[in-house]
Amino acid sequence: MNKLLLPILLLAATTGLLTGCADRLDMENASIPLTLGLDLGQDNEPVMYSTFPVFTKNSKKKTQETSARARTFRQSRAEQDAHSAGVFSGRNYQVFLIGKRMLEQENWFQMLDVIFRDSKNTVSDRVIVFDGPLADIIYLNPKDQPLLPILLRGMVDTKSGKSETVNTNLQELHRQLFESGMTPSISEVRLDAKKNIKLNGTALLNHQGKYVTSLDTSETVLLRILQNKVKKSASITLSMPGEPEQKPFHLDKISFATDQTRTETKTITSTHQGEFHFDIIIKMKISLFEVLFPYDIENKTPELEQLLSEEMQKQFEKLIKKIQQHAIDPVGLGLHARAFEYKEYKAVKNDWGKALSSADIRVQVKIKIDAMGPVK
Amino acid sequence: MNVSASSKITNLQYILINSGLQVSVFFLALPRILAEQAGTDGWVSLIIGWMITVAASLIVVKIMARYPEGTLLDLLTHYGGKWAGRTAAVCLLLYLFYFGYSCLVQTALITKEWLLPQTSAYMIILLLLIPTYIVAISGIRIIGRYAEIVTLVSLWIPLVYLLPLKEAHWLHLLPIAGEGWQPIGAGVPYSLYCFLGFVSTFIFYPFLQNKSQASMAITVSNSLTLLAHLFVTLVCYVYFSPDEIREYNEPAINVLKIIEFKFIERIEVIFIAFYLLVFSLGWIPALYICAYCTNWLRNTQAERNHVRFFCLLLAIGSFFFIPDFHQNEMIEQIFLRLGILIEYILPIFLLLYVSVHDRFSGRKKA
């Protein structure tokens, strides 16, 4: 009897502990917002959007959109909650959309504190800036495309694989904003003339998170090469100087894909002025895909490699000039400066973008043609 | 003291218990604590801390080798009389109870924050105490086996920490000692924090099956701890920006948030649940040693009752008081200072005393 007493008592005590299920949430009662949107309204007050998938058979529309005006995200939750059938929870965001007007403010990122402080929220949402008022894209609901968050996320994931945009999620944006040696870059989408969603390339922000300028897809490829982030192949099309265009065709074009790129960055600081020099050596192995002008590739490969290298170098220099003009550093050259020239870097750490704008950056491209395709 | 053959532990078990005590919950915040002191050079502090720890733990083994059949308490009774042993027992008891308690509370708070935000911390502690009770009451050998099992089922954890390395920025680690050696030195005491726990040798030594390899075992154990800490710290350093890492309370959890699988999001939740096993190695041996000490003090053979008493004490105590995050921080600070005093400084004096005493009494005999 006595032997049985203790286990029975323990069992009873354990049963008493099983109250943890009181806070459970059934799937039917949950609303799962997949998109989180933030924009500045007409009256310069922040507006928060979210879209939920709707799982009911009867509804024709597959999603529900809500918008709320509130000072903070957490505050807006009650209002968004009031629009939906279930309990609002932020554990499944796929994309975070921000309107361009919001992005033109400084320090907007602080509004996202709840994402990082409330551990239930996901931080792997892709960050995307929308060029225009956010309501346009949230309420668009194109009939021939998947749900907006799934479409956008797929866009960012696949295009960033081809290096045509960056793949910045909230965690990565947090890192880039806190890092003094680089400035953030995020994906950018807009609506084209026919109201179709289109990936625009990359938006570059400054240290405070304010929008500075945009890069189109081909410039983004160059940026990714400079960042040494091209993993799969990226495709590039160049105009060859000296070849006739022959309108309406552009017969001076040559297209290739990178098989392998390797970027080496060297940092040197000249001692007397504390000015930074960066030597960036880019080694690329490429496969030719398209040559619109007649060229004896087989016999004149070294010449073609030389020509391509020079042309690419010009492109890179143009991009770097653009970056320096805006006093930003999306490439992350500051990381190299910190790693190799710490003393000088520390002196200019608080305004690295400005320091970089007066730096001397030299790019050297070495292209090697791996394959020219089955045609001579 | 008589140690029966059934309560002996193997070297491997000893290594794992000791590493378990050292790793427990401390590694979650470690990258931040080190970064606050030494920036990205924190891993250098960690290696220096490891060297100091190896030296200190060898001293502990050296002391214990003077009286291989007894614990520290028997040894002190032998050298300094009954009251020396009793004082040591009380000190050790209080220290390890504090150790176990702070592990338990921290685990409860972290579980509450990441896993069960709406469950009260008291309830979590109660739930944690059930397996604690079952393991700790079964004696040292079962604790050893438990440590082995926990290690086995946790072996996959390091593999998952390799995933964030896809986004690694190795440049963060440079320059080494960019601010000079002073910050690295400042980080060393905090790196000792994560090696605390080898004091268990004082009690576990007589239970060792193979005492001649004790020095080797404790060095292996410390190195294992170093590897675990170094690995997690380095992953966090190359993943987070040096300017950013201080923003997170437990970077070792945040670093997992970004891992995505098609079938699961928020993988860190699963991790916390699995970590509970690793964490439990922090307080289970500690509570057992507490029970051993009280049992020794009262000179009874009822260790199990003492384990029951401590579990009950924790359960009832937590009902009335659970530290909040601020108080928890304070507990850690006190624990760090106390730990350095008891585990690093006292053994040196003890060794001096013991060897002087031996020489003195040896001469008298001659």
Side-chain angles (χ1 to χ4, degrees):
Chain A
M1 181 62 210
N2 218 357
K3 255 187 190 169
L4 269 176
L5 194 65
L6 190 71
I8 290 174
L9 271 179
L10 265 179
L11 203 67
T14 339
T15 327
L17 285 176
L18 291 178
T19 53
C21 305
D23 59 339
R24 80 184 193 282
L25 179 60
D26 294 328
M27 267 308 266
E28 298 82 31
N29 293 335
S31 324
I32 308 159
L34 297 181
T35 318
L36 182 67
L38 175 66
D39 199 6
L40 211 55
Q42 293 297 325
D43 48 355
N44 283 338
E45 282 286 321
V47 191
M48 284 97 184
Y49 297 92
S50 40
T51 71
F52 317 81
V54 177
F55 297 117
T56 325
K57 243 189 216 164
N58 300 333
S59 64
K60 273 195 188 131
K61 215 159 112 281
K62 292 276 185 289
T63 56
Q64 186 194 357
E65 299 83 21
T66 62
S67 72
R69 282 162 182 274
R71 302 254 148 73
T72 74
F73 271 111
R74 192 71 193 187
Q75 211 183 356
S76 80
R77 210 158 123 161
E79 206 178 317
Q80 308 223 27
D81 221 5
H83 287 287
S84 70
V87 177
F88 194 92
S89 68
R91 20 191 120 182
N92 247 311
Y93 290 126
Q94 302 293 307
V95 290
F96 170 69
L97 270 171
I98 180 162
K100 201 164 214 170
R101 278 194 64 210
M102 194 57 163
L103 206 59
E104 276 159 358
Q105 317 299 314
E106 278 185 8
N107 297 330
W108 58 271
F109 191 73
Q110 281 170 13
M111 289 199 63
L112 294 183
D113 188 63
V114 63
I115 305 273
F116 296 95
R117 200 173 295 281
D118 183 350
S119 56
K120 285 199 290 296
N121 288 325
T122 50
V123 291
S124 54
D125 351 349
R126 313 292 185 264
V127 182
I128 299 167
V129 54
F130 177 67
D131 190 2
L134 212 51
D136 287 1
I137 190 169
I138 293 276
Y139 295 108
L140 184 65
N141 287 313
K143 285 202 180 79
D144 52 354
Q145 266 163 344
L147 300 185
L148 177 73
I150 295 168
L151 171 76
L152 287 176
R153 184 181 160 135
M155 249 181 187
V156 172
D157 283 357
T158 54
K159 302 302 175 288
S160 65
K162 288 159 61 188
S163 300
E164 283 167 6
T165 185
V166 290
N167 190 353
T168 307
N169 52 37
L170 276 173
Q171 178 88 63
E172 175 68 11
L173 183 64
H174 190 268
R175 186 185 84 82
Q176 293 179 353
L177 272 169
F178 273 87
E179 171 65 64
S180 53
M182 77 181 297
T183 56
S185 41
I186 57 182
S187 310
E188 184 175 336
V189 295
R190 68 185 167 97
L191 295 181
D192 65 9
K194 282 183 186 156
K195 293 257 171 201
N196 282 324
I197 300 169
K198 176 177 175 260
L199 189 82
N200 225 12
T202 306
L204 303 181
L205 319 182
N206 69 6
H207 275 303
Q208 284 73 39
K210 192 175 159 185
Y211 174 82
V212 177
T213 183
S214 294
L215 301 180
D216 61 25
T217 44
S218 57
E219 283 173 315
T220 308
V221 172
L222 301 178
L223 175 71
R224 297 299 273 176
I225 292 176
L226 283 176
Q227 288 176 334
N228 205 3
K229 282 276 174 64
V230 180
K231 277 165 195 150
K232 295 176 203 159
S233 70
S235 89
I236 300 169
T237 302
L238 289 178
S239 306
M240 252 330 163
E243 298 293 336
E245 250 189 79
Q246 296 182 17
K247 288 273 178 190
F249 310 109
H250 297 271
L251 292 186
D252 56 341
K253 296 283 194 245
I254 179 166
S255 303
F256 53 86
T258 60
D259 294 337
Q260 194 189 24
T261 58
R262 221 175 62 237
T263 311
E264 286 164 16
T265 309
K266 257 188 219 146
T267 325
I268 307 153
T269 325
S270 59
T271 40
H272 54 285
Q273 278 164 336
E275 208 153 89
F276 289 93
H277 292 262
F278 292 96
D279 275 315
I280 305 173
I281 300 166
I282 301 165
K283 289 178 184 155
M284 292 166 79
K285 287 184 177 167
I286 60 166
S287 315
L288 291 180
F289 278 129
E290 194 177 45
V291 184
L292 294 192
F293 49 87
Y295 196 90
D296 183 4
I297 301 172
E298 198 176 355
N299 294 319
K300 285 161 78 180
T301 312
E303 286 87 343
L304 186 62
E305 284 173 352
Q306 183 65 27
L307 275 172
L308 284 175
S309 300
E310 275 167 23
E311 201 48 41
M312 282 300 286
Q313 197 161 326
K314 270 183 218 156
Q315 303 269 336
F316 279 120
E317 275 159 10
K318 224 165 78 190
L319 176 68
I320 285 171
K321 208 167 167 196
K322 187 172 176 180
I323 288 171
Q324 283 186 309
Q325 263 170 10
H326 290 101
I328 48 175
D329 182 10
V331 181
L333 291 171
L335 295 179
H336 292 267
R338 176 173 51 213
F340 300 111
E341 302 289 340
Y342 186 69
K343 255 189 209 148
E344 282 73 17
Y345 172 78
K346 214 179 140 193
V348 295
K349 187 182 166 187
N350 291 329
D351 202 350
W352 169 245
K354 208 178 146 212
L356 189 77
S357 63
S358 60
D360 179 20
I361 306 172
R362 286 180 200 153
V363 185
Q364 207 183 341
V365 186
K366 289 177 186 164
I367 287 184
K368 199 176 168 315
I369 298 176
D370 254 2
M372 62 175 194
V375 186
K376 247 195 187 176
Chain B
M1 195 193 77
N2 290 323
V3 179
S4 61
S6 66
S7 61
K8 290 254 179 190
I9 50 173
T10 63
N11 273 339
L12 180 68
Q13 284 170 340
Y14 169 68
I15 289 172
L16 296 179
I17 292 178
N18 192 48
S19 292
L21 270 168
Q22 289 176 325
V23 172
S24 63
V25 271
F26 303 132
F27 76 98
L28 294 180
L30 185 70
R32 167 186 52 99
I33 294 172
L34 286 178
E36 276 169 358
Q37 302 297 327
T40 48
D41 296 326
W43 60 277
V44 183
S45 314
L46 206 57
I47 292 178
I48 297 174
W50 168 73
M51 290 179 197
I52 297 174
T53 308
V54 167
S57 53
L58 286 181
I59 288 177
V60 170
V61 172
K62 202 136 220 157
I63 296 170
M64 295 312 293
R66 302 254 165 187
Y67 195 75
E69 289 315 310
T71 61
L72 176 76
L73 316 178
D74 304 309
L75 178 135
L76 279 176
T77 318
H78 174 75
Y79 277 95
K82 196 168 141 199
W83 284 102
R86 291 198 161 179
T87 324
V90 171
C91 286
L92 209 58
L93 163 73
L94 289 178
Y95 173 67
L96 278 161
F97 189 68
Y98 196 72
F99 188 111
Y101 181 68
S102 77
C103 276
L104 191 64
V105 163
Q106 217 168 328
T107 305
L109 290 178
I110 285 169
T111 315
K112 185 174 160 59
E113 188 190 344
W114 290 92
L115 203 60
L116 301 166
Q118 300 192 16
T119 312
S120 75
Y122 171 64
M123 197 65 84
I124 296 171
I125 285 189
L126 272 193
L127 287 171
L128 290 174
L129 278 176
I130 295 172
T132 306
Y133 171 77
I134 295 170
V135 176
I137 205 165
S138 318
I140 183 162
R141 185 165 238 204
I142 298 299
I143 295 178
R145 288 184 186 161
Y146 178 69
E148 280 177 319
I149 293 224
V150 169
T151 314
L152 266 179
V153 297
S154 312
L155 276 180
W156 58 282
I157 290 177
L159 295 179
V160 177
Y161 269 95
L162 292 175
L163 288 173
L165 288 184
K166 263 195 310 195
E167 299 286 322
H169 306 266
W170 294 98
L171 280 176
H172 287 164
L173 295 180
L174 292 171
I176 295 166
E179 295 276 353
W181 288 90
Q182 198 265 329
I184 296 182
V188 170
Y190 292 89
S191 71
L192 295 185
Y193 176 56
C194 68
F195 286 107
L196 291 179
F198 62 88
V199 72
S200 63
T201 311
F202 277 142
I203 301 296
F204 289 153
Y205 187 81
F207 297 99
L208 268 179
Q209 256 173 13
N210 194 345
K211 294 197 181 62
S212 58
Q213 288 178 345
S215 317
M216 194 269 297
I218 191 108
T219 312
V220 168
S221 171
N222 283 327
S223 309
L224 212 62
T225 312
L226 172 78
L227 276 183
H229 286 316
L230 200 60
F231 178 61
V232 171
T233 308
L234 282 179
V235 167
C236 286
Y237 279 1
V238 297
Y239 182 77
F240 293 115
S241 154
D243 305 314
E244 175 198 20
I245 191 163
R246 283 162 238 193
E247 293 290 311
Y248 298 110
N249 276 323
E250 289 101 21
I253 300 177
N254 284 84
V255 79
L256 298 173
K257 282 197 85 165
I258 208 65
I259 300 173
E260 279 182 327
F261 293 120
K262 285 262 183 258
F263 50 91
I264 187 168
E265 273 176 26
R266 298 196 59 222
I267 189 169
E268 78 278 4
V269 169
I270 298 170
F271 264 81
I272 303 291
F274 255 97
Y275 277 157
L276 288 179
L277 288 174
V278 183
F279 297 163
S280 71
L281 284 183
W283 66 79
I284 291 180
L287 278 187
Y288 174 78
I289 296 177
C290 289
Y292 176 87
C293 286
T294 46
N295 185 38
W296 186 88
L297 276 175
R298 305 206 47 199
N299 207 7
T300 51
Q301 289 299 321
E303 222 167 67
R304 297 162 72 94
N305 282 337
H306 293 272
V307 173
R308 284 189 189 120
F309 166 73
F310 279 111
C311 284
L312 212 62
L313 181 69
L314 282 174
I316 296 172
S318 313
F319 181 72
F320 291 107
F321 173 71
I322 285 180
D324 56 32
F325 263 94
H326 188 68
Q327 287 159 330
N328 185 40
E329 196 95 332
M330 222 164 63
I331 287 180
E332 277 174 47
Q333 288 292 328
I334 298 171
F335 175 58
L336 172 68
R337 299 204 165 89
L338 209 65
I340 290 178
L341 176 74
I342 289 188
E343 305 207 17
Y344 290 89
I345 298 174
L346 278 184
I348 299 177
F349 288 111
L350 205 59
L351 182 68
L352 279 178
Y353 172 74
V354 169
S355 45
V356 166
H357 190 280
D358 269 5
R359 189 164 292 176
F360 186 65
S361 58
R363 232 181 251 160
K364 219 160 51 176
K365 256 184 221 160

